[in-house]
Amino acid sequence: MLAALDADYQRDGTTTACVGFDAWSDAVARIEIVARAPGPAAAYQAGAFYERELPHLLAVLQRMPPLELIIVDAYVLLAPDHPGLGMHLHLARGEPVIGVAKTRYASADAIEIVRGESARPLYITAVGIDPRVAAEHVRSMHGEHRIPTMLRLADGLARGTVRP
């Protein structure tokens, strides 16, 4: 099973969502998990985003069956010797991780892909899987828009714009 994760921070808590699916081309998730942690989130620190989000991602992943791979809305590496959220997730869990970021991080060595009719690229990084293969997997994911369906679903569940 593949999993896509996202988190949303509100003043009174953090909502984390995980969707599990079987194939890159899947249009519908097999599993949808939404978890809410009360209280304010840790403060955002540039270059240390993982300190804020990693505990929430790990908590929701504990509720998933064994996974083949994890996709996260973040970078795996921010620079050659600077691990991002994706690398910390990989080190904590062991599964391959693909990072799909919507904005460019200057020092990251990411593969740019364009999906749908969007002129704006996605930035792909990976650990435990060849980054070129990871980029092709993300390119092949279901959905005609820039953001693949499963990533859009995880985001919507975390933000509360989609109900499980």
Side-chain angles (χ1 to χ4, degrees):
M1 175 171 286
L2 307 168
L5 297 164
D6 209 344
D8 184 58
Y9 301 95
Q10 304 92 33
R11 181 174 297 165
D12 61 342
T14 301
T15 304
T16 309
C18 182
V19 295
F21 54 104
D22 296 314
W24 295 104
S25 59
D26 283 357
V28 177
R30 184 157 55 109
I31 297 173
E32 297 177 3
I33 297 174
V34 178
R36 179 142 172 83
Y44 171 78
Q45 294 180 329
F49 177 63
Y50 72 93
E51 291 179 3
R52 180 181 198 193
E53 193 154 322
L54 185 62
H56 300 287
L57 299 181
L58 292 174
V60 77
L61 284 169
Q62 287 179 354
R63 298 169 58 184
M64 291 293 288
L67 298 172
E68 176 184 332
L69 185 139
I70 299 169
I71 306 164
V72 65
D73 179 12
Y75 280 89
V76 170
L77 289 172
L78 300 173
D81 292 327
H82 190 167
L85 174 61
M87 180 61 78
H88 288 281
L89 187 56
H90 171 72
L91 293 172
R93 295 267 313 182
E95 294 99 342
V97 174
I98 297 175
V100 179
K102 295 183 250 351
T103 57
R104 179 86 174 115
Y105 193 84
S107 59
D109 184 19
I111 296 173
E112 293 183 22
I113 65 166
V114 176
R115 288 179 37 91
E117 295 183 18
S118 177
R120 296 178 54 211
L122 294 172
Y123 302 92
I124 310 301
T125 54
V127 60
I129 180 174
D130 183 300
R132 293 174 303 240
V133 172
E136 284 309 310
H137 283 317
V138 174
R139 189 186 323 271
S140 73
M141 289 178 80
H142 182 272
E144 59 188 47
H145 302 290
R146 177 178 182 232
I147 309 299
T149 300
M150 291 297 121
L151 300 181
R152 185 181 297 266
L153 177 58
D155 176 78
L157 289 168
R159 292 178 188 268
T161 59
V162 174
R163 297 283 177 211

mmCIF file of all heavy atoms in Angstrom, residues 5 10-11 13 23 31 39-42 45 57 59 61 77 86 103-104 107 111 120 135 140 150 156 158-160 164:
data_model
loop_
_atom_site.group_PDB
_atom_site.id
_atom_site.type_symbol
_atom_site.label_atom_id
_atom_site.label_comp_id
_atom_site.label_asym_id
_atom_site.label_seq_id
_atom_site.Cartn_x
_atom_site.Cartn_y
_atom_site.Cartn_z
ATOM 1 N N LEU A 5 0.346 11.817 2.824
ATOM 2 C CA LEU A 5 0.126 12.491 4.105
ATOM 3 C C LEU A 5 0.104 13.998 3.951
ATOM 4 O O LEU A 5 0.804 14.545 3.102
ATOM 5 C CB LEU A 5 1.285 12.188 5.062
ATOM 6 C CG LEU A 5 1.529 10.776 5.485
ATOM 7 C CD1 LEU A 5 2.910 10.656 6.082
ATOM 8 C CD2 LEU A 5 0.499 10.380 6.499
ATOM 9 N N GLN A 10 -4.124 24.754 12.856
ATOM 10 C CA GLN A 10 -5.081 25.771 13.250
ATOM 11 C C GLN A 10 -4.649 26.329 14.597
ATOM 12 O O GLN A 10 -3.777 25.769 15.252
ATOM 13 C CB GLN A 10 -6.500 25.170 13.371
ATOM 14 C CG GLN A 10 -7.012 24.477 12.118
ATOM 15 C CD GLN A 10 -6.695 22.984 12.112
ATOM 16 O OE1 GLN A 10 -6.659 22.340 13.152
ATOM 17 N NE2 GLN A 10 -6.466 22.439 10.933
ATOM 18 N N ARG A 11 -5.282 27.385 15.010
ATOM 19 C CA ARG A 11 -4.932 28.023 16.279
ATOM 20 C C ARG A 11 -5.095 27.062 17.454
ATOM 21 O O ARG A 11 -4.314 27.069 18.398
ATOM 22 C CB ARG A 11 -5.807 29.256 16.477
ATOM 23 C CG ARG A 11 -5.503 30.016 17.751
ATOM 24 C CD ARG A 11 -6.274 31.282 17.840
ATOM 25 N NE ARG A 11 -5.857 32.153 16.740
ATOM 26 C CZ ARG A 11 -6.517 33.218 16.349
ATOM 27 N NH1 ARG A 11 -7.631 33.559 16.944
ATOM 28 N NH2 ARG A 11 -6.064 33.955 15.363
ATOM 29 N N GLY A 13 -5.293 23.573 17.283
ATOM 30 C CA GLY A 13 -4.884 22.185 17.090
ATOM 31 C C GLY A 13 -4.323 21.911 15.708
ATOM 32 O O GLY A 13 -4.278 22.791 14.856
ATOM 33 N N ALA A 23 -2.419 1.675 -6.076
ATOM 34 C CA ALA A 23 -1.682 1.876 -7.328
ATOM 35 C C ALA A 23 -1.559 3.362 -7.623
ATOM 36 O O ALA A 23 -2.420 4.160 -7.231
ATOM 37 C CB ALA A 23 -2.405 1.164 -8.477
ATOM 38 N N ILE A 31 -8.096 3.659 2.136
ATOM 39 C CA ILE A 31 -8.136 4.031 3.557
ATOM 40 C C ILE A 31 -8.008 5.551 3.660
ATOM 41 O O ILE A 31 -7.180 6.150 2.976
ATOM 42 C CB ILE A 31 -6.977 3.377 4.339
ATOM 43 C CG1 ILE A 31 -7.090 1.859 4.309
ATOM 44 C CG2 ILE A 31 -6.929 3.891 5.780
ATOM 45 C CD1 ILE A 31 -5.888 1.154 4.913
ATOM 46 N N GLY A 39 -4.440 21.718 20.901
ATOM 47 C CA GLY A 39 -3.374 22.602 21.371
ATOM 48 C C GLY A 39 -2.589 23.193 20.227
ATOM 49 O O GLY A 39 -2.605 22.677 19.114
ATOM 50 N N PRO A 40 -1.917 24.295 20.498
ATOM 51 C CA PRO A 40 -1.146 24.950 19.441
ATOM 52 C C PRO A 40 0.026 24.080 18.982
ATOM 53 O O PRO A 40 0.628 23.347 19.768
ATOM 54 C CB PRO A 40 -0.656 26.240 20.094
ATOM 55 C CG PRO A 40 -0.734 25.994 21.565
ATOM 56 C CD PRO A 40 -1.815 24.984 21.780
ATOM 57 N N ALA A 41 0.330 24.170 17.713
ATOM 58 C CA ALA A 41 1.466 23.436 17.144
ATOM 59 C C ALA A 41 2.764 24.108 17.560
ATOM 60 O O ALA A 41 2.787 25.285 17.926
ATOM 61 C CB ALA A 41 1.362 23.409 15.628
ATOM 62 N N ALA A 42 3.833 23.355 17.482
ATOM 63 C CA ALA A 42 5.157 23.936 17.726
ATOM 64 C C ALA A 42 5.382 25.055 16.722
ATOM 65 O O ALA A 42 4.871 25.019 15.598
ATOM 66 C CB ALA A 42 6.228 22.862 17.586
ATOM 67 N N GLN A 45 9.969 26.714 12.259
ATOM 68 C CA GLN A 45 11.359 27.137 12.169
ATOM 69 C C GLN A 45 11.869 26.760 10.788
ATOM 70 O O GLN A 45 11.867 25.569 10.434
ATOM 71 C CB GLN A 45 12.222 26.456 13.241
ATOM 72 C CG GLN A 45 11.866 26.864 14.639
ATOM 73 C CD GLN A 45 12.757 26.165 15.659
ATOM 74 O OE1 GLN A 45 13.215 25.054 15.457
ATOM 75 N NE2 GLN A 45 13.007 26.840 16.761
ATOM 76 N N LEU A 57 2.688 13.270 11.835
ATOM 77 C CA LEU A 57 2.706 12.285 10.754
ATOM 78 C C LEU A 57 2.931 10.884 11.304
ATOM 79 O O LEU A 57 2.267 9.925 10.890
ATOM 80 C CB LEU A 57 3.786 12.629 9.727
ATOM 81 C CG LEU A 57 3.646 13.970 9.005
ATOM 82 C CD1 LEU A 57 4.775 14.134 8.010
ATOM 83 C CD2 LEU A 57 2.300 14.134 8.355
ATOM 84 N N ALA A 59 2.179 9.756 14.225
ATOM 85 C CA ALA A 59 0.994 9.307 14.962
ATOM 86 C C ALA A 59 -0.070 8.750 14.022
ATOM 87 O O ALA A 59 -0.665 7.708 14.292
ATOM 88 C CB ALA A 59 0.425 10.457 15.789
ATOM 89 N N LEU A 61 0.434 7.595 10.968
ATOM 90 C CA LEU A 61 0.977 6.412 10.282
ATOM 91 C C LEU A 61 0.894 5.155 11.145
ATOM 92 O O LEU A 61 0.832 4.047 10.608
ATOM 93 C CB LEU A 61 2.419 6.662 9.840
ATOM 94 C CG LEU A 61 2.573 7.551 8.611
ATOM 95 C CD1 LEU A 61 4.023 7.960 8.426
ATOM 96 C CD2 LEU A 61 2.025 6.872 7.365
ATOM 97 N N LEU A 77 15.294 16.126 1.150
ATOM 98 C CA LEU A 77 16.556 16.799 1.475
ATOM 99 C C LEU A 77 16.433 18.276 1.120
ATOM 100 O O LEU A 77 16.001 18.621 0.012
ATOM 101 C CB LEU A 77 17.722 16.196 0.695
ATOM 102 C CG LEU A 77 18.180 14.806 1.108
ATOM 103 C CD1 LEU A 77 19.201 14.264 0.114
ATOM 104 C CD2 LEU A 77 18.773 14.828 2.506
ATOM 105 N N GLY A 86 10.966 14.742 4.877
ATOM 106 C CA GLY A 86 10.912 13.423 4.253
ATOM 107 C C GLY A 86 12.011 12.491 4.722
ATOM 108 O O GLY A 86 11.771 11.296 4.957
ATOM 109 N N THR A 103 6.609 24.516 -3.772
ATOM 110 C CA THR A 103 7.461 25.692 -3.957
ATOM 111 C C THR A 103 8.927 25.274 -3.968
ATOM 112 O O THR A 103 9.307 24.290 -3.337
ATOM 113 C CB THR A 103 7.235 26.736 -2.847
ATOM 114 O OG1 THR A 103 7.469 26.119 -1.581
ATOM 115 C CG2 THR A 103 5.829 27.289 -2.895
ATOM 116 N N ARG A 104 9.723 26.042 -4.650
ATOM 117 C CA ARG A 104 11.151 25.757 -4.804
ATOM 118 C C ARG A 104 11.891 26.136 -3.538
ATOM 119 O O ARG A 104 11.676 27.208 -2.978
ATOM 120 C CB ARG A 104 11.690 26.560 -5.996
ATOM 121 C CG ARG A 104 13.158 26.376 -6.235
ATOM 122 C CD ARG A 104 13.373 25.156 -7.098
ATOM 123 N NE ARG A 104 14.765 25.023 -7.460
ATOM 124 C CZ ARG A 104 15.522 24.009 -7.054
ATOM 125 N NH1 ARG A 104 15.040 23.072 -6.284
ATOM 126 N NH2 ARG A 104 16.763 23.927 -7.433
ATOM 127 N N SER A 107 18.246 25.533 -2.113
ATOM 128 C CA SER A 107 19.400 24.629 -1.997
ATOM 129 C C SER A 107 19.057 23.163 -2.225
ATOM 130 O O SER A 107 19.942 22.311 -2.219
ATOM 131 C CB SER A 107 20.058 24.796 -0.627
ATOM 132 O OG SER A 107 19.131 24.513 0.396
ATOM 133 N N ILE A 111 13.827 17.308 -8.600
ATOM 134 C CA ILE A 111 13.440 17.111 -9.995
ATOM 135 C C ILE A 111 12.114 17.836 -10.200
ATOM 136 O O ILE A 111 11.152 17.612 -9.465
ATOM 137 C CB ILE A 111 13.287 15.610 -10.321
ATOM 138 C CG1 ILE A 111 14.641 14.916 -10.163
ATOM 139 C CG2 ILE A 111 12.709 15.415 -11.720
ATOM 140 C CD1 ILE A 111 14.570 13.411 -10.302
ATOM 141 N N ARG A 120 3.211 25.660 -13.574
ATOM 142 C CA ARG A 120 4.004 25.607 -12.354
ATOM 143 C C ARG A 120 4.415 24.169 -12.057
ATOM 144 O O ARG A 120 3.573 23.277 -12.007
ATOM 145 C CB ARG A 120 3.210 26.176 -11.188
ATOM 146 C CG ARG A 120 2.897 27.658 -11.380
ATOM 147 C CD ARG A 120 2.076 28.239 -10.257
ATOM 148 N NE ARG A 120 2.708 27.986 -8.980
ATOM 149 C CZ ARG A 120 2.027 27.833 -7.858
ATOM 150 N NH1 ARG A 120 0.724 27.900 -7.844
ATOM 151 N NH2 ARG A 120 2.657 27.601 -6.728
ATOM 152 N N ALA A 135 9.850 10.637 -9.493
ATOM 153 C CA ALA A 135 9.250 11.708 -10.292
ATOM 154 C C ALA A 135 8.274 11.142 -11.327
ATOM 155 O O ALA A 135 7.190 11.689 -11.535
ATOM 156 C CB ALA A 135 10.338 12.530 -10.971
ATOM 157 N N SER A 140 2.691 10.099 -13.042
ATOM 158 C CA SER A 140 1.683 9.147 -13.513
ATOM 159 C C SER A 140 0.473 9.028 -12.583
ATOM 160 O O SER A 140 -0.478 8.322 -12.908
ATOM 161 C CB SER A 140 2.317 7.764 -13.684
ATOM 162 O OG SER A 140 2.567 7.160 -12.421
ATOM 163 N N MET A 150 -4.629 11.849 -5.055
ATOM 164 C CA MET A 150 -4.411 11.363 -3.685
ATOM 165 C C MET A 150 -3.767 12.430 -2.799
ATOM 166 O O MET A 150 -4.079 12.513 -1.598
ATOM 167 C CB MET A 150 -3.559 10.092 -3.679
ATOM 168 C CG MET A 150 -4.255 8.876 -4.248
ATOM 169 S SD MET A 150 -5.714 8.388 -3.312
ATOM 170 C CE MET A 150 -6.951 8.523 -4.584
ATOM 171 N N GLY A 156 -7.141 18.009 1.449
ATOM 172 C CA GLY A 156 -8.528 18.361 1.747
ATOM 173 C C GLY A 156 -9.026 17.775 3.053
ATOM 174 O O GLY A 156 -9.755 18.432 3.806
ATOM 175 N N ALA A 158 -7.103 17.014 5.639
ATOM 176 C CA ALA A 158 -6.415 17.727 6.734
ATOM 177 C C ALA A 158 -7.006 19.113 6.953
ATOM 178 O O ALA A 158 -7.174 19.557 8.093
ATOM 179 C CB ALA A 158 -4.922 17.828 6.426
ATOM 180 N N ARG A 159 -7.381 19.781 5.885
ATOM 181 C CA ARG A 159 -7.947 21.138 5.990
ATOM 182 C C ARG A 159 -9.431 21.126 6.359
ATOM 183 O O ARG A 159 -10.005 22.172 6.662
ATOM 184 C CB ARG A 159 -7.765 21.895 4.685
ATOM 185 C CG ARG A 159 -6.341 22.236 4.370
ATOM 186 C CD ARG A 159 -6.271 22.943 3.010
ATOM 187 N NE ARG A 159 -4.914 23.121 2.595
ATOM 188 C CZ ARG A 159 -4.197 24.215 2.859
ATOM 189 N NH1 ARG A 159 -4.746 25.196 3.539
ATOM 190 N NH2 ARG A 159 -2.959 24.302 2.451
ATOM 191 N N GLY A 160 -10.055 19.966 6.251
ATOM 192 C CA GLY A 160 -11.477 19.876 6.554
ATOM 193 C C GLY A 160 -12.368 20.287 5.399
ATOM 194 O O GLY A 160 -13.572 20.461 5.576
ATOM 195 N N PRO A 164 -14.082 12.580 5.514
ATOM 196 C CA PRO A 164 -13.770 11.151 5.305
ATOM 197 C C PRO A 164 -15.037 10.318 5.151
ATOM 198 O O PRO A 164 -16.095 10.717 5.533
ATOM 199 C CB PRO A 164 -13.010 10.761 6.568
ATOM 200 C CG PRO A 164 -13.193 11.845 7.545
ATOM 201 C CD PRO A 164 -13.709 13.047 6.817
#
